[in-house]
Amino acid sequence: QVQLVESGGGLVQTGGSLRLSCAASGRTFSSYTMGWFRQAPGKEREFVAGISRSGGNQYYADSVKGRFTISRDNAKKAVHLQMNSLKPEDTAVYYCAASYLGTLVGKYDYWGQGTQVTVSS
């Protein structure tokens, strides 16, 4: 089992950048595919980015491709989401998620509490 805690959210202007971090607890972090999701008010939660267990493969939603970068540090049990060129439509609660031995776009089993990102126009 893994526990996830996000940090790094906040208020930023259009075109700005933020870096989200997710700290994981547990002994087998490298066994988890990691992902970031987001949920805007009145909308369903959507996939943003995923990274394989080794960090060698990443997958992005079309809406963030070229602007967001997901990375992980297995030694520090952390995953990050670097968000550049932010737009108002990126405003949402961002969630870190983990999938034990899972695929990048498969089912995620564990979730953090979320961190708010607000992009002002």
Side-chain angles (χ1 to χ4, degrees):
Q1 197 167 5
V2 63
Q3 287 79 45
L4 305 171
V5 178
E6 303 96 334
S7 62
L11 174 65
V12 64
Q13 291 185 333
T14 297
S17 298
L18 279 176
R19 185 176 189 245
L20 304 183
S21 295
C22 174
S25 62
R27 293 178 294 176
T28 59
F29 178 70
S30 59
S31 297
Y32 292 86
T33 296
M34 299 300 296
W36 285 96
F37 291 73
R38 67 187 181 187
Q39 187 167 20
K43 295 187 177 181
E44 293 187 353
R45 185 171 58 195
E46 63 175 356
F47 173 85
V48 174
I51 189 165
S52 62
R53 285 170 277 155
S54 68
N57 292 301
Q58 302 88 37
Y59 186 78
Y60 298 92
D62 288 342
S63 59
V64 307
K65 203 172 294 183
R67 300 187 298 123
F68 290 11
T69 302
I70 188 171
S71 62
R72 69 187 294 163
D73 185 334
N74 284 346
K76 295 183 178 179
K77 299 181 183 178
V79 62
H80 307 285
L81 185 68
Q82 178 66 43
M83 306 186 294
N84 298 329
S85 302
L86 283 162
K87 306 174 181 180
E89 50 263 44
D90 294 317
T91 295
V93 177
Y94 283 71
Y95 297 91
C96 176
S99 174
Y100 183 67
L101 301 180
T103 59
L104 291 175
V105 291
K107 180 179 179 293
Y108 284 77
D109 308 296
Y110 303 97
W111 297 85
Q113 82 289 350
T115 185
Q116 176 71 46
V117 171
T118 303
V119 184
S120 63
S121 57

